């Protein structure tokens, strides 16, 4: 008799180790307001975790306007439900918290595995072929970025005329 070993499911998604460094390059962490966040979660979306992860890796640590542009131009079918989710999160941020869409920044975009819908397709000789339709949960966190004082001061400086 053969013995079976139960193994815990671990996804094959590689986590990025340099996420904070990547954020620090684009937006200094001291400019991110700690408690000015908007969470938006969508549950039971009919797509694979790995397909959704491919799209979410591209939009993580980006500004809202840049994210919308990227999702509109992506050739993947999974980008449309994620685009609707980002639109909804931004609408919640502007309506309920009075945030400006230009200062919204995606700090967290994660996907987790949900239930698997199982059906059977009838085959020859009374057999059945299993069909598994996977679902996932997607969570988006928008954070507001305050304008730095240095960038405001530099915009007020006028360029002096050259002397002849």
């Amino acid at each position: 008799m053969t013995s079976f070993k139960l193994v815990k499911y671990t996804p094959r998604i590689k986590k990025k180790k340099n996420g904070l460094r990547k954020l620090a390059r684009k937006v200094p962490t001291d400019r991110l307001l700690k408690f000015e966040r908007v969470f938006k979660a969508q549950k039971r979306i009919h797509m694979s975790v790995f397909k959704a992860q491919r799209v979410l890796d591209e939009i993580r640590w980006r500004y809202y306007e840049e994210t919308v542009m990227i999702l509109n131009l992506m050739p993947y079918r999974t980008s449309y439900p994620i685009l609707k989710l980002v639109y909804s999160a931004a609408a919640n941020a502007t309506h309920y918290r009075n945030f400006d869409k230009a200062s919204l920044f995606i700090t967290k975009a994660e996907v987790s595995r949900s239930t698997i819908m199982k059906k059977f397709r009838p085959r020859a000789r009374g057999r059945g072929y299993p069909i598994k339709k996977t679902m996932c949960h997607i969570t988006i966190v928008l954070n507001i970025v305050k304008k730095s004082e240095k960038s405001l001061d530099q915009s007020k400086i006028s360029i002096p005329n050259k002397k002849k």
Side-chain angles (χ1 to χ4, degrees):
M1 180 131 187
T2 309
S3 63
F4 292 101
K5 183 179 176 184
L6 291 175
V7 179
K8 185 179 176 186
Y9 170 78
T10 55
R12 290 176 281 169
I13 300 169
K14 294 180 182 176
K15 293 189 176 182
K16 292 186 178 181
K17 294 180 182 177
N18 61 352
L20 289 176
R21 286 189 212 132
K22 197 172 185 182
L23 172 66
R25 271 187 256 135
K26 293 190 176 186
V27 176
T29 51
D30 61 329
R31 285 174 48 199
L32 286 175
L33 297 178
K34 188 173 183 183
F35 298 107
E36 301 294 324
R37 294 183 183 153
V38 176
F39 293 87
K40 181 65 182 168
Q42 183 72 34
K43 296 192 173 189
R44 291 184 285 281
I45 299 176
H46 289 272
M47 68 176 76
S48 171
V49 174
F50 305 107
K51 292 176 184 176
Q53 187 70 43
R54 178 174 57 181
V55 175
L56 289 177
D57 285 341
E58 294 296 320
I59 67 168
R60 196 176 290 120
W61 309 116
R62 294 187 188 268
Y63 282 97
Y64 166 74
E65 293 165 343
E66 187 181 359
T67 300
V68 170
M69 183 184 67
I70 288 171
L71 289 174
N72 277 325
L73 296 175
M74 270 190 159
Y76 305 124
R77 196 181 81 183
T78 58
S79 63
Y80 182 68
I82 296 171
L83 176 66
K84 287 191 350 182
L85 187 63
V86 170
Y87 270 142
S88 177
N92 288 347
T94 55
H95 185 263
Y96 294 113
R97 305 287 293 273
N98 295 327
F99 291 166
D100 183 25
K101 283 187 179 180
S103 62
L104 290 176
F105 191 79
I106 296 179
T107 54
K108 190 176 185 183
E110 63 181 18
V111 62
S112 61
R113 189 172 153 201
S114 178
T115 56
I116 297 174
M117 186 169 55
K118 296 177 182 176
K119 297 193 289 187
F120 283 94
R121 181 183 174 94
R123 304 301 284 174
R125 298 183 182 182
R127 295 192 176 109
Y129 181 77
I131 298 172
K132 296 179 182 177
K133 296 198 174 194
T134 59
M135 291 184 248
C136 65
H137 303 314
I138 297 177
T139 305
I140 302 269
V141 178
L142 292 175
N143 204 326
I144 191 163
V145 178
K146 64 180 178 179
K147 302 292 183 186
S148 67
E149 295 172 7
K150 292 178 183 177
S151 64
L152 293 174
D153 293 338
Q154 289 175 356
S155 63
K156 294 178 182 176
I157 298 172
S158 62
I159 300 170
N161 295 332
K162 291 183 180 180
K163 294 180 182 178
K164 290 185 179 180

